[in-house]
Amino acid sequence: MTDRTKTSPQKAARTVDVGRLHGDVEWALEKGLGPRDLVPMLERLRRHAEPGSSSWAFATMELAGVLVERSPWRAAALARSVLATEESERGFALLGLALAKLGHFAAGATAYGRALTLAPGCTAYLHNLGHLLDAGLDRPKDALPHLERAYRDRPYDAEIAASYAHALVRLGRREDARVALERALGEIPGAVEELLERFTR
């Protein structure tokens, strides 16, 4: 005899409350839960949400963001799956970061360029594109306008200042690089000279 009280997998899937799953994930993100907790929650939301829906896109993008450092290939595939249904500045930025981590610098720069067309003033995108052009593609002259804009937006950000100074040094503007680094790192003993020496090698 068949146990009629059992629910088929298809019916069980239909009874999942996607809205509640979405809310649970937002709560987890707000609380700063780490990948060990977040990844299963995001996978479950993505699995049960309608493909192409806002909850599916949200879960897919957040999952790409969580995985980009340790699994850039999967993060790139996830970002592309969202970009196939909608243009998204974050989707292009995550794709650019994942491709850069995989060593595909030209494709990464193209993706960051697309992100910047959707969010022209984003300092992070300007910095990442500039750094890719300079350090990844050996194009400091093309990188400089992006890095200069990022530096103007956040002159005390050490990472941005270092990327900007790197491009300046490579273009023969060592003293300008020193000024930028001193503004961001001046209180750290020896940091400016150490970076200038490293960039000059």
Side-chain angles (χ1 to χ4, degrees):
M1 291 180 65
T2 302
D3 183 358
R4 296 180 181 276
T5 63
K6 288 184 178 179
T7 306
S8 70
Q10 293 82 3
K11 187 173 181 182
R14 285 197 298 271
T15 61
V16 170
D17 187 340
V18 170
R20 183 173 180 178
L21 287 179
H22 192 136
D24 289 346
V25 169
E26 288 186 330
W27 176 88
L29 289 167
E30 189 179 305
K31 295 297 179 185
L33 269 60
R36 187 179 66 179
D37 298 304
L38 269 177
V39 168
M41 294 174 73
L42 289 165
E43 295 276 21
R44 186 162 187 248
L45 175 57
R46 187 170 186 267
R47 185 168 63 250
H48 290 295
E50 183 71 25
S53 67
S54 60
S55 288
W56 175 88
F58 166 77
T60 304
M61 200 74 76
E62 292 297 332
L63 188 57
V66 172
L67 296 176
V68 71
E69 294 291 336
R70 68 182 192 202
S71 185
W73 188 91
R74 176 134 194 255
L78 289 164
R80 281 194 176 107
S81 71
V82 174
L83 292 170
T85 62
E86 62 180 53
E87 286 212 326
S88 156
E89 61 177 88
R90 189 173 180 219
F92 282 120
L94 280 169
L95 178 60
L97 180 57
L99 290 170
K101 288 187 174 298
L102 290 165
H104 304 309
F105 300 130
T110 298
Y112 270 118
R114 295 288 298 277
L116 273 170
T117 62
L118 298 172
C122 179
T123 306
Y125 302 165
L126 287 164
H127 171 232
N128 290 347
L129 175 57
H131 184 66
L132 264 180
L133 290 170
D134 176 31
L137 294 170
D138 195 25
R139 292 164 50 190
K141 188 174 180 180
D142 294 329
L144 194 63
H146 303 295
L147 293 172
E148 201 162 40
R149 283 181 60 197
Y151 174 75
R152 279 202 308 265
D153 289 345
R154 298 215 303 257
Y156 300 105
D157 185 305
E159 188 177 357
I160 290 174
S163 295
Y164 179 44
H166 185 269
L168 287 169
V169 167
R170 297 188 70 213
L171 292 168
R173 295 172 56 184
R174 185 183 172 96
E175 286 311 305
D176 290 337
R178 181 190 300 279
V179 170
L181 288 172
E182 284 177 346
R183 190 173 184 186
L185 305 171
E187 295 181 6
I188 305 174
V192 171
E193 290 306 321
E194 183 183 335
L195 282 173
L196 286 173
E197 285 304 311
R198 189 190 308 169
F199 296 162
T200 306
R201 290 173 197 154

PDB file of all heavy atoms in Angstrom, residues 15 24 30 36-38 43 53 57 74 78 81 95 116 119 124 129 135 144 147 152 164 168 185 192-193:
ATOM      1  N   THR A  15       5.461  24.396  -1.701  1.00  0.00           N
ATOM      2  CA  THR A  15       4.982  24.954  -0.443  1.00  0.00           C
ATOM      3  C   THR A  15       6.041  25.809   0.275  1.00  0.00           C
ATOM      4  O   THR A  15       5.767  26.363   1.325  1.00  0.00           O
ATOM      5  CB  THR A  15       4.542  23.824   0.513  1.00  0.00           C
ATOM      6  OG1 THR A  15       5.663  22.986   0.779  1.00  0.00           O
ATOM      7  CG2 THR A  15       3.418  23.010  -0.098  1.00  0.00           C
ATOM      8  N   ASP A  24      14.798  35.885   5.585  1.00  0.00           N
ATOM      9  CA  ASP A  24      15.817  35.248   6.425  1.00  0.00           C
ATOM     10  C   ASP A  24      17.223  35.601   5.935  1.00  0.00           C
ATOM     11  O   ASP A  24      18.135  35.856   6.734  1.00  0.00           O
ATOM     12  CB  ASP A  24      15.649  33.723   6.420  1.00  0.00           C
ATOM     13  CG  ASP A  24      14.418  33.270   7.193  1.00  0.00           C
ATOM     14  OD1 ASP A  24      13.845  34.087   7.957  1.00  0.00           O
ATOM     15  OD2 ASP A  24      14.009  32.103   7.019  1.00  0.00           O
ATOM     16  N   GLU A  30      22.289  41.306   7.294  1.00  0.00           N
ATOM     17  CA  GLU A  30      22.299  42.434   8.225  1.00  0.00           C
ATOM     18  C   GLU A  30      23.093  42.102   9.490  1.00  0.00           C
ATOM     19  O   GLU A  30      23.793  42.958  10.036  1.00  0.00           O
ATOM     20  CB  GLU A  30      20.850  42.795   8.593  1.00  0.00           C
ATOM     21  CG  GLU A  30      20.702  44.071   9.385  1.00  0.00           C
ATOM     22  CD  GLU A  30      19.240  44.372   9.687  1.00  0.00           C
ATOM     23  OE1 GLU A  30      18.436  44.441   8.730  1.00  0.00           O
ATOM     24  OE2 GLU A  30      18.912  44.515  10.872  1.00  0.00           O
ATOM     25  N   ARG A  36      29.764  30.225   5.903  1.00  0.00           N
ATOM     26  CA  ARG A  36      29.286  28.894   6.323  1.00  0.00           C
ATOM     27  C   ARG A  36      27.781  28.887   6.517  1.00  0.00           C
ATOM     28  O   ARG A  36      27.106  27.895   6.201  1.00  0.00           O
ATOM     29  CB  ARG A  36      29.988  28.480   7.620  1.00  0.00           C
ATOM     30  CG  ARG A  36      29.686  27.059   8.051  1.00  0.00           C
ATOM     31  CD  ARG A  36      30.423  26.681   9.309  1.00  0.00           C
ATOM     32  NE  ARG A  36      29.942  27.464  10.452  1.00  0.00           N
ATOM     33  CZ  ARG A  36      30.408  27.322  11.689  1.00  0.00           C
ATOM     34  NH1 ARG A  36      31.386  26.461  11.927  1.00  0.00           N
ATOM     35  NH2 ARG A  36      29.926  28.045  12.677  1.00  0.00           N
ATOM     36  N   ASP A  37      27.230  29.992   7.047  1.00  0.00           N
ATOM     37  CA  ASP A  37      25.784  30.083   7.242  1.00  0.00           C
ATOM     38  C   ASP A  37      25.079  30.636   6.010  1.00  0.00           C
ATOM     39  O   ASP A  37      23.982  30.195   5.658  1.00  0.00           O
ATOM     40  CB  ASP A  37      25.472  30.983   8.446  1.00  0.00           C
ATOM     41  CG  ASP A  37      26.041  30.424   9.741  1.00  0.00           C
ATOM     42  OD1 ASP A  37      25.708  29.277  10.073  1.00  0.00           O
ATOM     43  OD2 ASP A  37      26.822  31.125  10.398  1.00  0.00           O
ATOM     44  N   LEU A  38      25.718  31.609   5.372  1.00  0.00           N
ATOM     45  CA  LEU A  38      25.060  32.296   4.269  1.00  0.00           C
ATOM     46  C   LEU A  38      24.902  31.434   3.022  1.00  0.00           C
ATOM     47  O   LEU A  38      23.855  31.448   2.380  1.00  0.00           O
ATOM     48  CB  LEU A  38      25.847  33.556   3.894  1.00  0.00           C
ATOM     49  CG  LEU A  38      25.467  34.859   4.576  1.00  0.00           C
ATOM     50  CD1 LEU A  38      26.408  35.975   4.142  1.00  0.00           C
ATOM     51  CD2 LEU A  38      24.019  35.233   4.266  1.00  0.00           C
ATOM     52  N   GLU A  43      21.788  29.383  -1.403  1.00  0.00           N
ATOM     53  CA  GLU A  43      21.546  28.274  -2.341  1.00  0.00           C
ATOM     54  C   GLU A  43      20.076  27.851  -2.284  1.00  0.00           C
ATOM     55  O   GLU A  43      19.454  27.584  -3.314  1.00  0.00           O
ATOM     56  CB  GLU A  43      22.444  27.081  -1.998  1.00  0.00           C
ATOM     57  CG  GLU A  43      23.934  27.330  -2.180  1.00  0.00           C
ATOM     58  CD  GLU A  43      24.406  27.114  -3.600  1.00  0.00           C
ATOM     59  OE1 GLU A  43      23.573  27.160  -4.528  1.00  0.00           O
ATOM     60  OE2 GLU A  43      25.623  26.917  -3.777  1.00  0.00           O
ATOM     61  N   SER A  53      13.249  35.899 -11.271  1.00  0.00           N
ATOM     62  CA  SER A  53      12.509  36.751 -10.336  1.00  0.00           C
ATOM     63  C   SER A  53      13.479  37.604  -9.526  1.00  0.00           C
ATOM     64  O   SER A  53      14.689  37.365  -9.500  1.00  0.00           O
ATOM     65  CB  SER A  53      11.667  35.897  -9.393  1.00  0.00           C
ATOM     66  OG  SER A  53      12.516  35.144  -8.530  1.00  0.00           O
ATOM     67  N   ALA A  57      17.334  36.687  -8.491  1.00  0.00           N
ATOM     68  CA  ALA A  57      18.452  37.567  -8.845  1.00  0.00           C
ATOM     69  C   ALA A  57      19.201  38.013  -7.589  1.00  0.00           C
ATOM     70  O   ALA A  57      20.439  38.051  -7.568  1.00  0.00           O
ATOM     71  CB  ALA A  57      17.951  38.775  -9.626  1.00  0.00           C
ATOM     72  N   ARG A  74      33.003  30.116 -10.237  1.00  0.00           N
ATOM     73  CA  ARG A  74      31.561  29.980  -9.975  1.00  0.00           C
ATOM     74  C   ARG A  74      30.919  31.357  -9.842  1.00  0.00           C
ATOM     75  O   ARG A  74      29.804  31.589 -10.298  1.00  0.00           O
ATOM     76  CB  ARG A  74      31.328  29.159  -8.696  1.00  0.00           C
ATOM     77  CG  ARG A  74      29.837  29.082  -8.352  1.00  0.00           C
ATOM     78  CD  ARG A  74      29.380  27.697  -7.987  1.00  0.00           C
ATOM     79  NE  ARG A  74      27.927  27.652  -8.002  1.00  0.00           N
ATOM     80  CZ  ARG A  74      27.171  27.639  -6.902  1.00  0.00           C
ATOM     81  NH1 ARG A  74      27.717  27.624  -5.705  1.00  0.00           N
ATOM     82  NH2 ARG A  74      25.858  27.612  -7.001  1.00  0.00           N
ATOM     83  N   LEU A  78      27.731  32.785 -11.917  1.00  0.00           N
ATOM     84  CA  LEU A  78      26.529  33.300 -11.256  1.00  0.00           C
ATOM     85  C   LEU A  78      26.218  34.718 -11.717  1.00  0.00           C
ATOM     86  O   LEU A  78      25.061  35.047 -12.021  1.00  0.00           O
ATOM     87  CB  LEU A  78      26.712  33.267  -9.734  1.00  0.00           C
ATOM     88  CG  LEU A  78      26.708  31.882  -9.088  1.00  0.00           C
ATOM     89  CD1 LEU A  78      27.275  31.951  -7.668  1.00  0.00           C
ATOM     90  CD2 LEU A  78      25.298  31.300  -9.072  1.00  0.00           C
ATOM     91  N   SER A  81      24.765  34.725 -15.121  1.00  0.00           N
ATOM     92  CA  SER A  81      23.381  34.246 -15.189  1.00  0.00           C
ATOM     93  C   SER A  81      22.397  35.370 -14.888  1.00  0.00           C
ATOM     94  O   SER A  81      21.304  35.427 -15.469  1.00  0.00           O
ATOM     95  CB  SER A  81      23.163  33.056 -14.245  1.00  0.00           C
ATOM     96  OG  SER A  81      23.190  33.453 -12.884  1.00  0.00           O
ATOM     97  N   LEU A  95      31.404  40.360 -11.885  1.00  0.00           N
ATOM     98  CA  LEU A  95      31.991  39.628 -13.005  1.00  0.00           C
ATOM     99  C   LEU A  95      33.420  40.115 -13.244  1.00  0.00           C
ATOM    100  O   LEU A  95      34.340  39.309 -13.449  1.00  0.00           O
ATOM    101  CB  LEU A  95      31.137  39.810 -14.258  1.00  0.00           C
ATOM    102  CG  LEU A  95      31.656  39.140 -15.535  1.00  0.00           C
ATOM    103  CD1 LEU A  95      31.769  37.627 -15.342  1.00  0.00           C
ATOM    104  CD2 LEU A  95      30.741  39.464 -16.712  1.00  0.00           C
ATOM    105  N   LEU A 116      30.736  50.870 -14.853  1.00  0.00           N
ATOM    106  CA  LEU A 116      30.871  52.329 -14.753  1.00  0.00           C
ATOM    107  C   LEU A 116      29.894  53.073 -15.653  1.00  0.00           C
ATOM    108  O   LEU A 116      29.491  54.188 -15.326  1.00  0.00           O
ATOM    109  CB  LEU A 116      32.304  52.754 -15.088  1.00  0.00           C
ATOM    110  CG  LEU A 116      33.277  52.747 -13.916  1.00  0.00           C
ATOM    111  CD1 LEU A 116      34.700  52.955 -14.406  1.00  0.00           C
ATOM    112  CD2 LEU A 116      32.908  53.816 -12.896  1.00  0.00           C
ATOM    113  N   ALA A 119      27.012  53.184 -13.387  1.00  0.00           N
ATOM    114  CA  ALA A 119      27.250  53.935 -12.142  1.00  0.00           C
ATOM    115  C   ALA A 119      28.528  54.753 -12.316  1.00  0.00           C
ATOM    116  O   ALA A 119      29.571  54.416 -11.763  1.00  0.00           O
ATOM    117  CB  ALA A 119      27.381  52.976 -10.962  1.00  0.00           C
ATOM    118  N   ALA A 124      34.711  52.826  -6.149  1.00  0.00           N
ATOM    119  CA  ALA A 124      35.275  51.472  -6.148  1.00  0.00           C
ATOM    120  C   ALA A 124      35.487  50.958  -7.565  1.00  0.00           C
ATOM    121  O   ALA A 124      36.516  50.337  -7.868  1.00  0.00           O
ATOM    122  CB  ALA A 124      34.363  50.525  -5.379  1.00  0.00           C
ATOM    123  N   LEU A 129      38.933  49.406 -11.969  1.00  0.00           N
ATOM    124  CA  LEU A 129      39.229  49.470 -13.402  1.00  0.00           C
ATOM    125  C   LEU A 129      40.625  50.047 -13.618  1.00  0.00           C
ATOM    126  O   LEU A 129      41.419  49.503 -14.398  1.00  0.00           O
ATOM    127  CB  LEU A 129      38.180  50.309 -14.133  1.00  0.00           C
ATOM    128  CG  LEU A 129      38.456  50.558 -15.626  1.00  0.00           C
ATOM    129  CD1 LEU A 129      38.609  49.244 -16.388  1.00  0.00           C
ATOM    130  CD2 LEU A 129      37.348  51.417 -16.237  1.00  0.00           C
ATOM    131  N   ALA A 135      48.125  47.692 -13.449  1.00  0.00           N
ATOM    132  CA  ALA A 135      48.897  46.541 -12.974  1.00  0.00           C
ATOM    133  C   ALA A 135      48.637  45.274 -13.783  1.00  0.00           C
ATOM    134  O   ALA A 135      49.531  44.438 -13.934  1.00  0.00           O
ATOM    135  CB  ALA A 135      48.576  46.292 -11.500  1.00  0.00           C
ATOM    136  N   LEU A 144      45.324  56.101 -15.495  1.00  0.00           N
ATOM    137  CA  LEU A 144      45.468  57.288 -14.651  1.00  0.00           C
ATOM    138  C   LEU A 144      44.176  58.094 -14.466  1.00  0.00           C
ATOM    139  O   LEU A 144      43.862  58.477 -13.339  1.00  0.00           O
ATOM    140  CB  LEU A 144      46.589  58.181 -15.175  1.00  0.00           C
ATOM    141  CG  LEU A 144      47.053  59.260 -14.202  1.00  0.00           C
ATOM    142  CD1 LEU A 144      47.652  58.637 -12.947  1.00  0.00           C
ATOM    143  CD2 LEU A 144      48.061  60.187 -14.860  1.00  0.00           C
ATOM    144  N   LEU A 147      42.025  56.333 -11.861  1.00  0.00           N
ATOM    145  CA  LEU A 147      42.632  56.353 -10.528  1.00  0.00           C
ATOM    146  C   LEU A 147      42.643  57.761  -9.941  1.00  0.00           C
ATOM    147  O   LEU A 147      42.463  57.943  -8.734  1.00  0.00           O
ATOM    148  CB  LEU A 147      44.053  55.791 -10.597  1.00  0.00           C
ATOM    149  CG  LEU A 147      44.134  54.302 -10.944  1.00  0.00           C
ATOM    150  CD1 LEU A 147      45.581  53.891 -11.192  1.00  0.00           C
ATOM    151  CD2 LEU A 147      43.514  53.452  -9.847  1.00  0.00           C
ATOM    152  N   ARG A 152      40.637  61.491  -5.950  1.00  0.00           N
ATOM    153  CA  ARG A 152      39.989  62.770  -5.589  1.00  0.00           C
ATOM    154  C   ARG A 152      38.788  62.531  -4.687  1.00  0.00           C
ATOM    155  O   ARG A 152      38.522  63.307  -3.770  1.00  0.00           O
ATOM    156  CB  ARG A 152      39.548  63.527  -6.851  1.00  0.00           C
ATOM    157  CG  ARG A 152      40.658  64.303  -7.540  1.00  0.00           C
ATOM    158  CD  ARG A 152      40.105  65.425  -8.405  1.00  0.00           C
ATOM    159  NE  ARG A 152      39.086  64.959  -9.334  1.00  0.00           N
ATOM    160  CZ  ARG A 152      39.329  64.607 -10.594  1.00  0.00           C
ATOM    161  NH1 ARG A 152      40.566  64.635 -11.063  1.00  0.00           N
ATOM    162  NH2 ARG A 152      38.363  64.218 -11.379  1.00  0.00           N
ATOM    163  N   TYR A 164      46.981  54.724  -7.248  1.00  0.00           N
ATOM    164  CA  TYR A 164      47.200  55.983  -7.974  1.00  0.00           C
ATOM    165  C   TYR A 164      48.696  56.277  -8.061  1.00  0.00           C
ATOM    166  O   TYR A 164      49.229  56.597  -9.136  1.00  0.00           O
ATOM    167  CB  TYR A 164      46.444  57.094  -7.264  1.00  0.00           C
ATOM    168  CG  TYR A 164      46.576  58.479  -7.846  1.00  0.00           C
ATOM    169  CD1 TYR A 164      46.499  58.702  -9.217  1.00  0.00           C
ATOM    170  CD2 TYR A 164      46.761  59.585  -7.015  1.00  0.00           C
ATOM    171  CE1 TYR A 164      46.606  59.984  -9.742  1.00  0.00           C
ATOM    172  CE2 TYR A 164      46.859  60.867  -7.524  1.00  0.00           C
ATOM    173  CZ  TYR A 164      46.785  61.059  -8.887  1.00  0.00           C
ATOM    174  OH  TYR A 164      46.887  62.329  -9.405  1.00  0.00           O
ATOM    175  N   LEU A 168      51.331  56.706 -11.264  1.00  0.00           N
ATOM    176  CA  LEU A 168      52.126  57.938 -11.402  1.00  0.00           C
ATOM    177  C   LEU A 168      53.609  57.623 -11.531  1.00  0.00           C
ATOM    178  O   LEU A 168      54.314  58.199 -12.385  1.00  0.00           O
ATOM    179  CB  LEU A 168      51.880  58.848 -10.196  1.00  0.00           C
ATOM    180  CG  LEU A 168      50.524  59.559 -10.140  1.00  0.00           C
ATOM    181  CD1 LEU A 168      50.319  60.202  -8.774  1.00  0.00           C
ATOM    182  CD2 LEU A 168      50.427  60.622 -11.246  1.00  0.00           C
ATOM    183  N   LEU A 185      49.173  58.283   3.806  1.00  0.00           N
ATOM    184  CA  LEU A 185      49.951  57.409   4.692  1.00  0.00           C
ATOM    185  C   LEU A 185      50.993  58.150   5.519  1.00  0.00           C
ATOM    186  O   LEU A 185      51.822  57.514   6.174  1.00  0.00           O
ATOM    187  CB  LEU A 185      50.704  56.354   3.865  1.00  0.00           C
ATOM    188  CG  LEU A 185      49.882  55.487   2.909  1.00  0.00           C
ATOM    189  CD1 LEU A 185      50.812  54.668   2.035  1.00  0.00           C
ATOM    190  CD2 LEU A 185      48.973  54.566   3.687  1.00  0.00           C
ATOM    191  N   VAL A 192      55.749  55.558   3.031  1.00  0.00           N
ATOM    192  CA  VAL A 192      55.802  56.238   1.727  1.00  0.00           C
ATOM    193  C   VAL A 192      57.053  55.821   0.962  1.00  0.00           C
ATOM    194  O   VAL A 192      56.985  55.431  -0.213  1.00  0.00           O
ATOM    195  CB  VAL A 192      55.749  57.768   1.909  1.00  0.00           C
ATOM    196  CG1 VAL A 192      56.016  58.470   0.579  1.00  0.00           C
ATOM    197  CG2 VAL A 192      54.394  58.188   2.469  1.00  0.00           C
ATOM    198  N   GLU A 193      58.209  55.887   1.604  1.00  0.00           N
ATOM    199  CA  GLU A 193      59.453  55.528   0.933  1.00  0.00           C
ATOM    200  C   GLU A 193      59.467  54.060   0.520  1.00  0.00           C
ATOM    201  O   GLU A 193      59.942  53.707  -0.557  1.00  0.00           O
ATOM    202  CB  GLU A 193      60.648  55.828   1.839  1.00  0.00           C
ATOM    203  CG  GLU A 193      60.907  57.304   2.051  1.00  0.00           C
ATOM    204  CD  GLU A 193      61.055  58.072   0.737  1.00  0.00           C
ATOM    205  OE1 GLU A 193      61.680  57.524  -0.211  1.00  0.00           O
ATOM    206  OE2 GLU A 193      60.544  59.195   0.650  1.00  0.00           O
TER     207      GLU A 193
END
